[in-house]
Amino acid sequence: MSLGLPVADAVIWGVITFSLLVVLHEGGHFLAARAFGVKVHEFMIGLPGPAIRFRGRKTTFGVTAVPLGGYVRIAGMEPGPEDPLLARALGAAVTSERVDARSLASAIAVEETHAARLLVTLQDYAALEAAPDDKVSYLPVARLEAGESADELLARLRSETYRGKKTWQRVTILSMGVVVNLVTAVLVFTAVLSVFGYFELSLKLDSVVPGSGAEAAGLEAGDEIVAVEDERVRTFQDLVMRVGGWEPGGIVTVEFVRDGRPMQAEVTLGEGDQGQPLLGVQPSLVKREFGLGGAFVESLRFVGLVFRAIAGFFNPETFRASLQGASSVVGASVIVAEAARTGPIDYAWIVALLSLSLGALNLVPIPPLDGGKIAVEAVERVIGHPLRREVSFGLSIAGAMLLFSLIGYLVYADVLRLANG
């Protein structure tokens, strides 16, 4: 990987592309939430912060000062069990002209900090809205209907929140971002493959690196590799992943076919610039063409390959190879910019691949990813009650630390690769 284009191009195309992908992902959550009648407070393009906003009938839309990515804010997604004093606080708040933490604390006999948390939840449930003339007061939006109790009003408001929906509906809301990413990728792959096909790296060797272990073992151009250590490989990526589980200097048995004859050789692995093991071969390119049905099937195969690549991070034998083959947002931005410069087809292909990768990554069962939230929903369904707020936050913090550690390493590795050309 090298930075053979202006840094500004990589930054601009990276921001555009990742914002597009995140908006598609968040759009899936938004559409599913609205389909189930859940209130969505905001749908914003960019990171949280100052923004240009406009109010829709039920949702505020806008663009923030840092237009990288995006987010939706769905009512009722606060972790932990619902506060048992919420109905009492609701009754006191909606019967007041204006309420703040101090007045609510006095009305229901709780600590002011507790009252402040209750007010935040009531605002999230659309019972209150922030007063426009100060930063501490709220104005009631919801009203008690004739003969309605505070508990009944709370149940009515809760029915329009994430918390108030059935488990399968909540799981659908959580998973629809991934679904949109996957569908987008499959549609783009199918369209491109049916029209243009693609060149793929094959297991038939174009050349053998001079001085490599493969050359010393007698491999030649034209040989077709079929297995490594008795494990069959079907694609060149399979070969890379299989070899990546070894140490440089290790000896592996490679099975190959030459002129129709099965053969094998003992290959001593070399070492790459990043310390990765190398077989010392260069694959040939093969053109593949598809009809519409074949293109769709091949698109599904790509989906499987990406899921396998993500799963490689959780397999000790393939973790290092997965790490070496992965890119951070830095490396991906360079690739995106190069693809955009090459042409719209290459750019569409990379966008589809990134959309697929984003969707697959979000299914990993680690909070705060969507897959982690789905796993929490499953656990809560089994135990019959929400996890305590402290437990939910603890899981999210631990997951975030793990993810940011991985992201930080990938960024560091990408910067090194770019710096070294």
Side-chain angles (χ1 to χ4, degrees):
M1 182 191 303
S2 62
L3 193 57
L5 72 166
V7 174
D9 285 1
V11 172
I12 291 171
W13 280 108
V15 169
I16 291 172
T17 302
F18 283 102
S19 294
L20 171 64
L21 294 176
V22 172
V23 167
L24 284 172
H25 182 91
E26 298 299 330
H29 296 313
F30 171 80
L31 292 175
R34 295 303 306 136
F36 291 130
V38 175
K39 181 174 179 58
V40 181
H41 295 295
E42 293 183 317
F43 189 144
M44 305 297 291
I45 298 174
L47 300 177
I52 299 173
R53 306 168 186 266
F54 66 92
R55 290 185 63 89
R57 190 166 63 91
K58 294 185 176 181
T59 303
T60 297
F61 299 87
V63 179
T64 71
V66 184
L68 177 62
Y71 66 93
V72 292
R73 189 162 64 87
I74 297 173
M77 293 196 75
E78 183 181 44
E82 191 175 77
D83 194 307
L85 294 179
L86 194 59
R88 187 178 170 193
L90 174 62
V94 299
T95 53
S96 304
E97 292 186 3
R98 179 186 292 256
V99 63
D100 58 25
R102 178 175 296 180
S103 63
L104 181 63
S106 175
I108 64 174
V110 298
E111 296 289 334
E112 196 168 319
T113 54
H114 188 176
R117 291 197 302 271
L118 289 166
L119 289 172
V120 170
T121 301
L122 291 175
Q123 183 186 24
D124 185 44
Y125 280 26
L128 307 174
E129 65 180 10
D133 53 347
D134 66 45
K135 296 182 179 181
V136 297
S137 300
Y138 295 84
L139 305 177
V141 177
R143 295 293 181 184
L144 289 165
E145 296 180 353
E148 186 178 41
S149 68
D151 286 304
E152 291 169 333
L153 174 58
L154 179 60
R156 177 157 58 88
L157 294 173
R158 189 191 299 113
S159 69
E160 296 185 357
T161 70
Y162 174 86
R163 186 188 290 275
K165 297 304 174 181
K166 297 178 180 178
T167 299
W168 72 267
Q169 293 172 315
R170 295 199 297 268
V171 169
T172 300
I173 292 171
L174 292 173
S175 62
M176 277 304 294
V178 170
V179 171
V180 169
N181 282 133
L182 298 185
V183 169
T184 298
V186 169
L187 289 177
V188 173
F189 284 149
T190 300
V192 173
L193 289 173
S194 63
V195 176
F196 299 99
Y198 70 93
F199 286 93
E200 72 171 349
L201 300 175
S202 76
L203 290 167
K204 191 170 185 177
L205 304 184
D206 179 69
S207 62
V208 176
V209 177
S212 66
E215 183 187 54
L219 272 73
E220 301 175 357
D223 292 345
E224 183 174 0
I225 296 176
V226 295
V228 175
E229 289 295 316
D230 295 325
E231 183 173 327
R232 185 170 179 80
V233 290
R234 291 177 172 79
T235 67
F236 191 75
Q237 182 63 26
D238 283 346
L239 176 63
V240 172
M241 295 291 289
R242 180 62 177 157
V243 170
W246 291 74
E247 295 287 340
I251 300 175
V252 297
T253 301
V254 176
E255 297 176 35
F256 58 96
V257 175
R258 176 182 297 168
D259 299 327
R261 294 181 295 114
M263 303 179 69
Q264 69 177 31
E266 302 291 324
V267 180
T268 301
L269 300 176
E271 184 173 356
D273 294 338
Q274 304 297 319
Q276 72 273 27
L278 296 178
L279 199 59
V281 298
Q282 294 293 333
S284 60
L285 291 175
V286 177
K287 176 69 180 292
R288 298 191 64 187
E289 296 179 337
F290 306 88
L292 187 61
F296 176 72
V297 172
E298 186 69 4
S299 298
L300 297 182
R301 188 178 75 86
F302 284 154
V303 173
L305 289 175
V306 170
F307 274 90
R308 283 180 60 191
I310 298 294
F313 283 98
F314 301 91
N315 183 344
E317 294 183 359
T318 57
F319 174 76
R320 187 172 62 180
S322 298
L323 203 60
Q324 291 165 348
S327 288
S328 69
V329 64
V330 174
S333 295
V334 174
I335 295 170
V336 164
E338 291 173 342
R341 187 171 58 176
T342 302
I345 300 301
D346 285 348
Y347 178 71
W349 186 268
I350 292 298
V351 169
L353 187 58
L354 290 173
S355 181
L356 175 55
S357 300
L358 177 62
L361 179 62
N362 263 282
L363 278 181
V364 174
I366 298 175
L369 298 176
D370 293 336
K373 294 176 182 177
I374 292 171
V376 169
E377 287 287 348
V379 169
E380 291 180 342
R381 178 62 184 267
V382 170
I383 65 177
H385 60 82
L387 296 175
R388 290 188 297 113
R389 183 193 302 265
E390 296 81 3
V391 174
S392 294
F393 278 130
L395 290 172
S396 293
I397 291 172
M401 290 177 63
L402 177 63
L403 292 172
F404 283 128
S405 297
L406 176 60
I407 291 170
Y409 174 82
L410 292 177
V411 169
Y412 171 75
D414 276 344
V415 171
L416 279 184
R417 282 193 287 262
L418 291 170
N420 293 330

PDB file of all heavy atoms in Angstrom, residues 36 40 97 211 220 233 240 251 262 282 326 329 355:
ATOM      1  N   PHE A  36     -42.139  -0.094  13.251  1.00  0.00           N
ATOM      2  CA  PHE A  36     -42.752  -0.630  14.455  1.00  0.00           C
ATOM      3  C   PHE A  36     -43.364   0.457  15.341  1.00  0.00           C
ATOM      4  O   PHE A  36     -43.774   0.181  16.469  1.00  0.00           O
ATOM      5  CB  PHE A  36     -41.722  -1.424  15.266  1.00  0.00           C
ATOM      6  CG  PHE A  36     -41.291  -2.702  14.617  1.00  0.00           C
ATOM      7  CD1 PHE A  36     -39.947  -3.001  14.473  1.00  0.00           C
ATOM      8  CD2 PHE A  36     -42.227  -3.607  14.143  1.00  0.00           C
ATOM      9  CE1 PHE A  36     -39.537  -4.183  13.874  1.00  0.00           C
ATOM     10  CE2 PHE A  36     -41.826  -4.794  13.539  1.00  0.00           C
ATOM     11  CZ  PHE A  36     -40.482  -5.088  13.403  1.00  0.00           C
ATOM     12  N   VAL A  40     -38.209   8.071  16.737  1.00  0.00           N
ATOM     13  CA  VAL A  40     -36.794   8.342  16.484  1.00  0.00           C
ATOM     14  C   VAL A  40     -36.585   9.840  16.651  1.00  0.00           C
ATOM     15  O   VAL A  40     -37.126  10.632  15.888  1.00  0.00           O
ATOM     16  CB  VAL A  40     -36.374   7.888  15.082  1.00  0.00           C
ATOM     17  CG1 VAL A  40     -34.889   8.175  14.863  1.00  0.00           C
ATOM     18  CG2 VAL A  40     -36.662   6.399  14.878  1.00  0.00           C
ATOM     19  N   GLU A  97     -46.632  23.283  34.943  1.00  0.00           N
ATOM     20  CA  GLU A  97     -46.398  24.119  33.769  1.00  0.00           C
ATOM     21  C   GLU A  97     -44.941  24.025  33.318  1.00  0.00           C
ATOM     22  O   GLU A  97     -44.634  24.137  32.133  1.00  0.00           O
ATOM     23  CB  GLU A  97     -46.749  25.574  34.078  1.00  0.00           C
ATOM     24  CG  GLU A  97     -48.231  25.813  34.299  1.00  0.00           C
ATOM     25  CD  GLU A  97     -48.544  27.288  34.454  1.00  0.00           C
ATOM     26  OE1 GLU A  97     -47.598  28.114  34.336  1.00  0.00           O
ATOM     27  OE2 GLU A  97     -49.713  27.603  34.702  1.00  0.00           O
ATOM     28  N   GLY A 211      14.872 -16.784  -5.319  1.00  0.00           N
ATOM     29  CA  GLY A 211      15.498 -16.875  -4.012  1.00  0.00           C
ATOM     30  C   GLY A 211      14.548 -17.254  -2.894  1.00  0.00           C
ATOM     31  O   GLY A 211      14.962 -17.306  -1.731  1.00  0.00           O
ATOM     32  N   GLU A 220       7.246 -24.123  -9.848  1.00  0.00           N
ATOM     33  CA  GLU A 220       7.476 -23.404 -11.103  1.00  0.00           C
ATOM     34  C   GLU A 220       6.211 -22.686 -11.538  1.00  0.00           C
ATOM     35  O   GLU A 220       5.098 -23.037 -11.114  1.00  0.00           O
ATOM     36  CB  GLU A 220       7.902 -24.381 -12.200  1.00  0.00           C
ATOM     37  CG  GLU A 220       9.169 -25.171 -11.909  1.00  0.00           C
ATOM     38  CD  GLU A 220       9.455 -26.200 -12.984  1.00  0.00           C
ATOM     39  OE1 GLU A 220       8.613 -26.313 -13.916  1.00  0.00           O
ATOM     40  OE2 GLU A 220      10.496 -26.891 -12.889  1.00  0.00           O
ATOM     41  N   VAL A 233      -7.046 -26.057  -0.338  1.00  0.00           N
ATOM     42  CA  VAL A 233      -7.295 -24.626  -0.518  1.00  0.00           C
ATOM     43  C   VAL A 233      -8.052 -24.441  -1.826  1.00  0.00           C
ATOM     44  O   VAL A 233      -7.746 -25.090  -2.825  1.00  0.00           O
ATOM     45  CB  VAL A 233      -5.983 -23.811  -0.520  1.00  0.00           C
ATOM     46  CG1 VAL A 233      -5.363 -23.796   0.866  1.00  0.00           C
ATOM     47  CG2 VAL A 233      -4.986 -24.359  -1.541  1.00  0.00           C
ATOM     48  N   VAL A 240      -3.342 -17.860   1.398  1.00  0.00           N
ATOM     49  CA  VAL A 240      -2.712 -16.829   2.230  1.00  0.00           C
ATOM     50  C   VAL A 240      -3.072 -17.044   3.699  1.00  0.00           C
ATOM     51  O   VAL A 240      -2.211 -16.962   4.587  1.00  0.00           O
ATOM     52  CB  VAL A 240      -3.143 -15.427   1.760  1.00  0.00           C
ATOM     53  CG1 VAL A 240      -2.652 -14.361   2.735  1.00  0.00           C
ATOM     54  CG2 VAL A 240      -2.607 -15.144   0.364  1.00  0.00           C
ATOM     55  N   ILE A 251       8.497 -24.959   7.948  1.00  0.00           N
ATOM     56  CA  ILE A 251       8.473 -25.794   6.742  1.00  0.00           C
ATOM     57  C   ILE A 251       7.066 -26.366   6.575  1.00  0.00           C
ATOM     58  O   ILE A 251       6.526 -26.988   7.502  1.00  0.00           O
ATOM     59  CB  ILE A 251       9.508 -26.927   6.818  1.00  0.00           C
ATOM     60  CG1 ILE A 251      10.915 -26.335   6.960  1.00  0.00           C
ATOM     61  CG2 ILE A 251       9.421 -27.829   5.598  1.00  0.00           C
ATOM     62  CD1 ILE A 251      11.993 -27.384   7.172  1.00  0.00           C
ATOM     63  N   PRO A 262      -0.160 -34.951  -9.926  1.00  0.00           N
ATOM     64  CA  PRO A 262      -0.080 -34.451  -8.547  1.00  0.00           C
ATOM     65  C   PRO A 262       1.338 -34.576  -8.003  1.00  0.00           C
ATOM     66  O   PRO A 262       1.998 -35.602  -8.209  1.00  0.00           O
ATOM     67  CB  PRO A 262      -1.049 -35.355  -7.781  1.00  0.00           C
ATOM     68  CG  PRO A 262      -1.131 -36.602  -8.588  1.00  0.00           C
ATOM     69  CD  PRO A 262      -0.941 -36.194 -10.020  1.00  0.00           C
ATOM     70  N   GLN A 282       3.693 -15.948  -6.928  1.00  0.00           N
ATOM     71  CA  GLN A 282       2.808 -14.918  -7.462  1.00  0.00           C
ATOM     72  C   GLN A 282       1.692 -15.608  -8.244  1.00  0.00           C
ATOM     73  O   GLN A 282       1.963 -16.403  -9.134  1.00  0.00           O
ATOM     74  CB  GLN A 282       3.574 -13.961  -8.383  1.00  0.00           C
ATOM     75  CG  GLN A 282       4.627 -13.117  -7.690  1.00  0.00           C
ATOM     76  CD  GLN A 282       4.010 -12.126  -6.726  1.00  0.00           C
ATOM     77  OE1 GLN A 282       2.870 -11.711  -6.888  1.00  0.00           O
ATOM     78  NE2 GLN A 282       4.776 -11.755  -5.698  1.00  0.00           N
ATOM     79  N   ALA A 326      -5.891  -7.058   7.131  1.00  0.00           N
ATOM     80  CA  ALA A 326      -6.935  -6.072   7.402  1.00  0.00           C
ATOM     81  C   ALA A 326      -6.409  -4.649   7.237  1.00  0.00           C
ATOM     82  O   ALA A 326      -5.203  -4.405   7.314  1.00  0.00           O
ATOM     83  CB  ALA A 326      -7.482  -6.262   8.809  1.00  0.00           C
ATOM     84  N   VAL A 329      -9.480   2.503   8.796  1.00  0.00           N
ATOM     85  CA  VAL A 329     -10.111   3.549   7.995  1.00  0.00           C
ATOM     86  C   VAL A 329      -9.065   4.323   7.201  1.00  0.00           C
ATOM     87  O   VAL A 329      -9.345   4.839   6.111  1.00  0.00           O
ATOM     88  CB  VAL A 329     -10.928   4.493   8.917  1.00  0.00           C
ATOM     89  CG1 VAL A 329     -10.018   5.237   9.885  1.00  0.00           C
ATOM     90  CG2 VAL A 329     -11.747   5.474   8.099  1.00  0.00           C
ATOM     91  N   SER A 355     -19.172  -1.958   2.505  1.00  0.00           N
ATOM     92  CA  SER A 355     -20.509  -2.103   3.084  1.00  0.00           C
ATOM     93  C   SER A 355     -20.693  -3.499   3.651  1.00  0.00           C
ATOM     94  O   SER A 355     -21.213  -3.684   4.766  1.00  0.00           O
ATOM     95  CB  SER A 355     -21.571  -1.827   2.012  1.00  0.00           C
ATOM     96  OG  SER A 355     -22.875  -1.936   2.548  1.00  0.00           O
TER      97      SER A 355
END
